[in-house]
Amino acid sequence: MPTTHNITLIGGGGHAVVIAEAARAANLTPIGLYDDDPHCAAASKPDPVPHLGPLHNLTNLTSPWLLCLGDITARAAILERLASLDAQPATVIHPTTTISPTASLAPGVFVAPAAVIHSRAAIAPHAIINTGAIIEHDCRIAANCHIAPRATLAGNVTIGSHTLIGLGAIILPGVRIGAHCTIGAGAVVLANLPDN
């Protein structure tokens, strides 16, 4: 039986509900959450996570944590604040995911149910690989990216930091997408895109 570890969630909306459920499935125990709304979704029934306080109280954080906001811009601002703390980020991987043994995942990554991460893919800190997303071989996903549900990255794709790849988007092989980009839901990206 795997060891159970405690984790603190930062953010309490719908994305936090999904992460709390995935954490429990991966034998992690969400011991509490920080959110400005004490009645946020993840603090509500069923399976509520105890509310520990508003986001400005993050200086009290001592246990491993995971950023549970879906908004890239809000995530970036909070990550700057968390950089000065001693508490370390956790990684949550739902047990129904498929991850190649040659892929690498940095701390703070969330991998949702039914996602696939193939050979030699590299996922940087605080990235979200959401439900059913496919990351093919040799892809490089930079820090604080969100690969939305059912998005597909073909082989050797590079995604810059703070970028959102929307629901069901398809990125063709070898394409490089810069930092601070938004790829809309259902888009097909055929060529490289610069930052911003």
Side-chain angles (χ1 to χ4, degrees):
M1 184 81 144
T3 305
T4 300
H5 300 282
N6 294 335
I7 183 173
T8 300
L9 308 182
I10 300 172
H15 189 57
V17 172
V18 171
I19 290 175
E21 198 169 274
R24 290 179 182 114
N27 294 313
L28 298 169
T29 302
I31 58 171
L33 65 84
Y34 288 91
D35 193 278
D36 291 339
D37 178 7
H39 306 291
C40 59
S44 303
K45 292 182 179 180
D47 293 327
V49 178
H51 185 260
L52 301 175
L55 292 171
H56 70 264
N57 283 359
L58 289 175
T59 53
N60 300 332
L61 192 59
T62 57
S63 66
W65 53 270
L66 189 68
L67 191 52
C68 300
L69 303 170
D71 180 88
I72 294 290
T73 305
R75 291 170 63 85
I78 291 176
L79 284 170
E80 284 183 21
R81 292 172 50 199
L82 291 167
S84 64
L85 301 181
D86 290 334
Q88 296 299 306
T91 297
V92 173
I93 301 169
H94 194 278
T96 63
T97 62
T98 301
I99 300 176
S100 166
T102 61
S104 62
L105 277 68
V109 169
F110 171 59
V111 186
V116 178
I117 302 174
H118 277 293
S119 305
R120 301 182 306 208
I123 315 298
H126 312 296
I128 301 166
I129 310 302
N130 222 321
T131 307
I134 298 173
I135 311 298
E136 276 294 343
H137 66 88
D138 299 298
C139 286
R140 299 287 177 263
I141 312 297
N144 193 37
C145 286
H146 184 165
I147 312 302
R150 298 285 182 196
T152 300
L153 280 57
N156 201 32
V157 166
T158 301
I159 308 294
S161 59
H162 312 294
T163 288
L164 169 66
I165 307 298
L167 289 160
I170 298 171
I171 316 299
L172 293 190
V175 167
R176 301 175 79 80
I177 296 174
H180 301 280
C181 292
T182 299
I183 306 301
V188 179
V189 181
L190 308 172
N192 295 349
L193 295 174
D195 292 350
N196 303 304

